[in-house]
Amino acid sequence: MFKILFSLLSVLVISSFTFAAEIVFIDIQKIVRDSVAGKEAQSILENMAKKAQEEISQKEKALKPGDQKAQEELQALAVQKQQEILAKREELIQSFMKNVQDNISSFAKAKNYTLIIDKQAVLYGKDELDKTDEFLKYFDENYKKSKK
């Protein structure tokens, strides 16, 4: 009787450890900030903003004092460029997050994780459950392969 009870208790303890190991978390903000794809997206936006600012500055220098119509056109151009940058930003975010989600799914399957949670939603988690660096490496490798 004792052997059966001990065996049953052992199975329960082992299965609870196994289940806990299948739940991990990833810092998505770190992935956005430090991944190759995230850095490329940020660079695209910065270059776009820089070009827009240069174009606006050149037109501003060419303005004649008191030319109200040209001033209004310049303001309209600034608004248009800002909207273009915001649209591009939204496009990049959607594409990036779809890529992250697809990679999280394949990462979870490859590592046999049951649940992956964003670190911001975790109130407490042991350090060994943080798989951010491991996922970042996985994500960057897949991103580089997809660019070839």
Side-chain angles (χ1 to χ4, degrees), residues 26-100:
I26 294 173
D27 185 350
I28 297 297
Q29 293 302 316
K30 183 175 180 177
I31 303 303
V32 170
R33 184 183 63 242
D34 296 346
S35 68
V36 173
K39 288 177 182 178
E40 282 183 13
Q42 185 63 34
S43 178
I44 289 168
L45 288 175
E46 287 172 0
N47 288 337
M48 197 173 174
K50 185 178 177 182
K51 286 178 183 176
Q53 184 60 44
E54 288 171 359
E55 184 179 344
I56 292 167
S57 292
Q58 287 176 350
K59 292 196 184 244
E60 189 176 35
K61 288 177 186 175
L63 273 180
K64 294 178 184 171
D67 189 349
Q68 188 64 29
K69 185 176 178 185
Q71 185 70 13
E72 289 171 4
E73 288 173 357
L74 181 64
Q75 288 176 346
L77 177 65
V79 169
Q80 175 192 353
K81 293 297 180 183
Q82 184 179 21
Q83 289 173 344
E84 289 172 5
I85 292 168
L86 288 174
K88 184 65 172 180
R89 180 179 183 268
E90 187 63 31
E91 175 190 325
L92 290 170
I93 288 171
Q94 287 180 359
S95 174
F96 179 83
M97 290 312 294
K98 181 179 180 341
N99 193 4
V100 168

Side-chain angles (χ1 to χ4, degrees), residues 28 58 62 67 101 103 111 134 138:
I28 297 297
Q58 287 176 350
D67 189 349
Q101 186 60 49
N103 275 275
K111 299 292 183 174
E134 188 177 341
Y138 178 88

Side-chain angles (χ1 to χ4, degrees), residues 17-29:
F17 281 104
T18 304
F19 181 72
E22 294 174 349
I23 299 174
V24 298
F25 57 91
I26 294 173
D27 185 350
I28 297 297
Q29 293 302 316

Side-chain angles (χ1 to χ4, degrees), residues 18 43 49-50 57 79 97 106 115 123 125 144 146-148:
T18 304
S43 178
K50 185 178 177 182
S57 292
V79 169
M97 290 312 294
S106 62
L115 181 67
L123 297 175
K144 290 174 187 174
S146 72
K147 293 297 269 187
K148 289 183 180 179

